[in-house]
């Protein structure tokens, strides 16, 4: 035996060998050869015993005698190869027959090798080892293939999940939503009576949560929102996160508009309860746009989503926290809003926004002590525009921040000129209204201080007016207000009495002035209930050592009543209408 062969045979292999032979001497010889070389050997003297052994445990290799009584080796081999369980077990035929025909037949029925009797030990070991190695290699490859197939299936499932689901909420994403709508639109085209609905949902005031607590907390709220919305929907309905804080609900089949409205109302109600945050509780609302499928108007998913989005913005314009049903008239209004947004961007660059001023008068001395800064837009085509025609769009599109900076810069520059010209008193101040988006800017105190320094002004020359709504559940606004007060800025609650009027913030926050809303002044008389309300507000402010300003004074009767109630100061048409800088100075001179 060669050295190479000896090394090959010396390396033991763990394998189970089944010997099937009706001659006991052959079985004994083969068993000794194989067991001496580390193989596990089982024996069978006929086909029936062989089948029983194979059924008990599948062998790695079968050594099968051809010439056996009752059932010969060829027949048994054919039966084993016909069974999918045993088909892959390698079979080596044993025979004293050396005719080429016998060997060909052995291979034809499924044998993998052929050993001629009398046996040569080296030949038996080499042929068995080759088949064991081949068998083990095959099984290893099959296992690898199974594992890789499973890994591929998992990877494909993960890719599908990533491709069609939102990472944060695990809801359907925009891609899956678009495909779902496309399928339903095809159904609408084939069956005009079939209807489905799309509900476009936006979380009102969600930006405040991100600005106040950070995006991580905002993400946790979005997960809660997704959970609440999901609970209100049926198993066939599709809820998708469209983008940011926008969600879309797809109702695959609706009987009527009323059914879509009922769903929208449930969704709105589900969002009303507060959301628990690390430092308290926040409240948001849901604005929902509703649109029902129309085979003529909606040919593509983008069409129906566009209409639902337009309806949602209409709901926001109607006060938020409500639903709105799409009407084609809304589309024209939406186009106009887009035009306003485009014009606002251009106007910022062209500096078309102008400060107008309305005097504020000390009611004890009847002398002007300051003025409120109001915004006007000198549009090149539409002329002078009032705030109601563009401010809501500016707030919605985050353009109010740059607009506000331009306006205040111009007003501070104007106050410096008036002071240098001796047209106003040294303590004459500007009243400037801060929006929610402005009061939640953590850099605001420093920016305002730098602005005043540029124009030789101090914080006392600027009274910052904040609405009650801006203070509601807004931790960041509270922090900014305190930072402003620490730098010496004078803070004022604007339109007092028309918001949520949680009086607790009056002693918690460094507020120095209350501005009474004009709605209380319009019908003011001693017999009117508003008179009692104003009297109570003024009394409370006095006990808190706060300054009071009444807005909307238009008649001498209103003025006298407010003086009698010891209101500190006032503004309104009686003293002067909002006007340009030149006109305002003429009014107070």
């Amino acid at each position: 035996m060669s050295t190479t062969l000896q090394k090959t045979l010396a390396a033991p292999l763990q394998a189970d060998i089944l010997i099937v032979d009706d001659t006991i001497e052959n079985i004994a010889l083969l068993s000794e050869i194989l067991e001496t070389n580390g193989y596990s050997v089982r024996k069978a003297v006929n086909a029936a015993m062989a089948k029983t052994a194979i059924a008990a445990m599948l062998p790695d290799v079968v050594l099968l005698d051809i010439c056996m009584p009752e059932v010969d080796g060829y027949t048994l081999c054919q039966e084993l190869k016909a069974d999918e369980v045993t088909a892959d077990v390698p079979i080596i035929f044993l025979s004293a027959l050396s005719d080429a025909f016998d060997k060909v037949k052995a291979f034809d029925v499924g044998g993998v090798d052929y050993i001629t009797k009398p046996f040569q030990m080296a030949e038996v070991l080499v042929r068995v080892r080759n088949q064991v190695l081949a068998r083990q290699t095959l099984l290893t490859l099959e296992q690898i293939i199974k594992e890789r197939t499973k890994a591929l299936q998992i990877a494909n499932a993960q890719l599908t999940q990533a491709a069609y689901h939102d990472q944060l909420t695990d809801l359907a994403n925009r891609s899956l939503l678009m495909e779902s709508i496309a399928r339903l639109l095809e159904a609408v085209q084939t069956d005009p009576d079939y209807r489905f609905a799309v509900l476009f949902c936006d979380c009102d005031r969600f930006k405040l949560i991100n600005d106040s607590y950070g995006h991580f907390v905002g993400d946790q709220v979005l997960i809660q929102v997704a959970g609440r919305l999901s609970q209100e929907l049926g198993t066939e309905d599709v809820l998708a996160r469209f983008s940011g804080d926008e969600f879309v609900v797809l109702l695959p089949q609706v009987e009527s508009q009323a059914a879509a409205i009922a769903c929208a109302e449930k969704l709105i109600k589900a969002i009303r309860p507060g959301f628990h945050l690390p430092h308290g509780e926040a409240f948001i609302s849901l604005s929902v746009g509703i649109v029902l499928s129309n085979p003529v108007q909606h040919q593509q998913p983008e069409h129906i989503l566009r209409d639902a989005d337009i309806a949602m913005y209409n709901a926001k314009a109607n006060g938020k926290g409500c639903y709105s049903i799409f009407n084609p008239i809304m589309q024209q209004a939406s186009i106009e809003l887009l035009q306003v947004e485009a014009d606002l961007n251009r106007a910022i660059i062209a500096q078309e926004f102008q400060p107008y001023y309305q005097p504020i008068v000390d009611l004890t001395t009847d002398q002007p002590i300051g003025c409120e800064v109001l915004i006007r837009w000198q549009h090149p085509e539409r002329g002078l525009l009032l705030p109601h025609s563009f401010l809501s769009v500016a707030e919605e599109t985050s353009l109010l921040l740059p607009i506000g900076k331009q306006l205040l810069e111009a007003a501070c520059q104007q106050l410096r000129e008036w002071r240098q010209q001796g047209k106003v008193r040294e303590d004459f101040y500007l009243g400037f209204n801060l929006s929610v988006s402005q009061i939640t800017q953590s850099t605001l105190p420093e920016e305002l201080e730098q602005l005043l320094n540029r124009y030789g002004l101090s914080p006392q020359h600027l009274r910052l007016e904040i609405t009650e709504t801006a203070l509601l559940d807004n931790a960041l606004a509270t922090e900014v207000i305190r930072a402003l007060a620490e730098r010496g800025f004078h803070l004022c609650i604007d339109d007092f009495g028309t918001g949520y009027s949680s009086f607790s913030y009056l002693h918690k926050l460094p507020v120095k002035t209350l501005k009474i809303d004009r709605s209380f002044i319009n019908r003011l008389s001693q017999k009117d209930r508003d008179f009692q309300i104003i009297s109570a507000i003024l009394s409370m402010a006095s006990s808190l050592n706060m300054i009071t300003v009444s807005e909307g004074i238009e008649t001498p009767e209103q003025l006298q009543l407010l003086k009698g109630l010891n209101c500190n100061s006032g503004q309104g048409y009686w003293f002067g209408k909002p006007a340009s800088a030149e006109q305002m100075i003429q009014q107070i001179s």
Side-chain angles (χ1 to χ4, degrees):
M1 191 181 299
S2 68
T3 303
T4 303
L5 181 58
Q6 287 177 337
K7 290 182 179 179
T8 301
L9 298 178
L13 287 175
Q14 296 296 320
D16 179 69
I17 311 299
L18 176 63
I19 303 173
V20 185
D21 197 320
D22 62 335
T23 304
I24 301 300
E25 291 79 4
N26 290 339
I27 291 178
L29 176 61
L30 290 171
S31 296
E32 182 182 358
I33 294 171
L34 296 170
E35 287 174 346
T36 301
N37 285 271
Y39 293 104
S40 175
V41 178
R42 290 184 290 156
K43 303 102 175 174
V45 296
N46 54 46
M49 288 181 63
K51 290 179 182 180
T52 301
I54 292 172
M57 184 177 71
L58 208 64
D60 292 302
V61 175
V62 176
L63 299 182
L64 179 59
D65 186 24
I66 294 176
C67 297
M68 293 189 300
E70 298 181 5
V71 178
D72 63 17
Y74 295 139
T75 304
L76 177 58
C77 182
Q78 287 177 316
E79 291 178 0
L80 293 176
K81 294 301 175 181
D83 188 337
E84 62 179 14
V85 176
T86 56
D88 293 331
V89 176
I91 296 175
I92 301 175
F93 278 105
L94 308 172
S95 180
L97 303 174
S98 59
D99 189 84
F101 173 79
D102 298 308
K103 294 181 178 180
V104 170
K105 186 175 181 180
F107 288 119
D108 187 53
V109 296
V112 295
D113 209 341
Y114 194 100
I115 300 176
T116 304
K117 299 175 183 178
F119 306 123
Q120 298 295 320
M121 182 179 72
E123 180 186 6
V124 171
L125 290 175
V126 168
R127 293 184 185 278
V128 168
R129 182 181 180 83
N130 287 342
Q131 296 306 319
V132 168
L133 285 173
R135 172 73 170 164
Q136 291 179 346
T137 301
L138 178 62
L139 292 176
T140 301
L141 288 173
E142 288 178 349
Q143 183 61 31
I144 291 172
I145 291 171
K146 286 180 181 178
E147 290 175 355
R148 290 186 177 178
T149 301
K150 184 178 180 180
L152 184 60
Q153 290 172 340
I154 293 172
N156 286 337
Q158 291 173 341
L159 287 173
T160 302
Q161 177 74 10
Y164 288 109
H165 290 82
D166 175 56
Q167 245 182 343
L168 177 67
T169 63
D170 202 34
L171 297 177
N173 63 8
R174 187 182 299 197
S175 298
L176 181 55
L177 174 69
M178 299 293 272
E179 289 189 14
S180 299
I181 294 177
R183 287 194 295 270
L184 294 183
L185 287 175
E186 291 176 2
V188 170
Q189 296 300 326
T190 56
D191 181 6
D193 294 329
Y194 174 72
R195 302 178 82 186
F196 68 92
V198 171
L199 279 60
F200 205 110
C201 310
D202 182 85
C203 299
D204 305 318
R205 301 178 73 244
F206 178 76
K207 185 176 183 295
L208 286 177
I209 294 178
N210 273 343
D211 291 342
S212 301
Y213 298 102
H215 287 275
F216 176 79
V217 173
D219 286 348
Q220 301 311 304
V221 172
L222 288 175
I223 293 172
Q224 292 184 52
V225 168
R228 291 189 189 182
L229 296 179
S230 297
Q231 290 177 358
E232 302 301 324
L233 300 173
T235 55
E236 299 299 319
D237 302 331
V238 177
L239 174 62
R241 185 182 177 207
F242 196 70
S243 66
D245 60 341
E246 293 178 333
F247 297 83
V248 173
V249 175
L250 180 59
L251 303 178
Q253 190 161 3
V254 289
E255 296 179 357
S256 63
Q257 181 175 281
I261 291 173
C263 180
E265 289 176 337
K266 287 195 300 181
L267 298 177
I268 292 169
K269 184 178 180 181
I271 301 302
R272 282 179 188 152
F275 291 85
H276 298 290
L277 303 179
H279 304 292
E281 196 173 26
F283 294 85
I284 59 177
S285 56
L286 199 70
S287 293
V288 182
I290 302 173
V291 61
L292 270 65
S293 59
N294 184 304
V296 177
Q297 296 176 351
H298 305 136
Q299 301 291 325
Q300 300 293 332
E302 293 83 355
H303 299 163
I304 195 166
L305 284 170
R306 173 203 62 204
D307 292 350
D309 189 34
I310 290 171
M312 180 271 292
Y313 276 102
N314 188 70
K316 281 185 172 291
N318 289 339
K320 303 179 180 179
C322 60
Y323 67 84
S324 179
I325 302 167
F326 177 75
N327 185 307
I329 297 174
M330 294 178 185
Q331 189 171 1
Q332 181 58 38
S334 179
I335 293 172
E336 292 174 0
L337 285 176
L338 286 174
Q339 184 60 52
V340 171
E341 182 181 350
D343 286 352
L344 284 172
N345 279 284
R346 179 194 50 75
I348 292 172
I349 298 172
Q351 297 189 338
E352 294 172 0
F353 300 101
Q354 300 178 3
Y356 266 49
Y357 307 89
Q358 187 173 30
I360 300 173
V361 175
D362 186 321
L363 297 188
T364 303
T365 64
D366 293 328
Q367 295 298 312
I369 54 175
C371 62
E372 182 176 1
V373 180
L374 304 167
I375 189 170
R376 298 293 185 268
W377 180 6
Q378 188 60 54
H379 196 285
E381 298 174 0
R382 299 168 60 191
L384 193 68
L385 301 181
L386 297 177
H388 68 81
S389 63
F390 62 88
L391 270 191
S392 60
V393 180
E395 179 76 47
E396 191 71 35
T397 56
S398 300
L399 294 175
L400 198 55
L401 291 174
I403 292 173
K405 287 181 180 179
Q406 280 191 11
L407 190 72
L408 186 55
E409 178 105 23
C412 288
Q413 184 176 5
Q414 184 62 67
L415 180 56
R416 181 181 66 178
E417 292 178 10
W418 284 337
R419 284 162 53 84
Q420 291 174 344
Q421 296 167 2
K423 293 183 178 180
V424 296
R425 295 164 30 170
E426 283 298 313
D427 59 355
F428 192 89
Y429 68 85
L430 300 173
F432 189 80
N433 194 285
L434 293 175
S435 68
V436 174
S437 58
Q438 290 169 311
I439 200 62
T440 51
Q441 297 295 311
S442 60
T443 58
L444 180 66
E446 184 179 356
E447 291 176 358
L448 290 178
E449 196 171 58
Q450 292 173 353
L451 173 64
L452 293 176
N453 289 338
R454 282 203 299 273
Y455 294 102
L457 304 174
S458 70
Q460 290 304 313
H461 289 114
L462 185 61
R463 293 195 180 180
L464 301 171
E465 301 179 5
I466 308 159
T467 62
E468 292 174 281
T469 305
L471 297 173
L472 184 68
D473 300 317
N474 196 325
L476 183 56
T478 301
E479 291 178 10
V480 172
I481 288 170
R482 291 198 174 104
L484 288 167
E486 289 173 0
R487 293 176 184 252
F489 285 97
H490 188 115
L491 299 167
C492 170
I493 300 297
D494 193 20
D495 300 333
F496 186 79
T498 60
Y500 295 89
S501 296
S502 176
F503 295 113
S504 62
Y505 59 71
L506 293 181
H507 65 83
K508 290 181 180 178
L509 296 178
V511 177
K512 294 184 177 180
T513 297
L514 297 183
K515 290 190 76 173
I516 302 172
D517 187 71
R518 69 186 70 243
S519 61
F520 293 107
I521 311 299
N522 289 340
R523 300 178 302 276
L524 186 61
S525 70
Q526 287 185 332
K527 297 180 181 180
D528 191 89
R529 186 179 181 184
D530 288 341
F531 180 85
Q532 302 301 324
I533 295 174
I534 293 173
S535 177
I537 292 174
L538 293 172
S539 177
M540 176 194 65
S542 177
S543 66
L544 294 173
N545 294 318
M546 299 179 73
I547 301 168
T548 51
V549 182
S550 287
E551 298 179 308
I553 301 175
E554 298 183 359
T555 67
E557 291 79 15
Q558 294 169 345
L559 177 61
Q560 292 307 313
L561 285 172
L562 290 167
K563 283 185 175 183
L565 293 172
N566 295 319
C567 182
N568 302 116
S569 51
Q571 69 182 94
Y573 284 6
W574 177 256
F575 304 111
K577 296 180 179 181
S580 64
E582 295 79 8
Q583 293 169 334
M584 203 279 293
I585 285 297
Q586 291 177 3
Q587 289 177 4
I588 65 175
S589 298

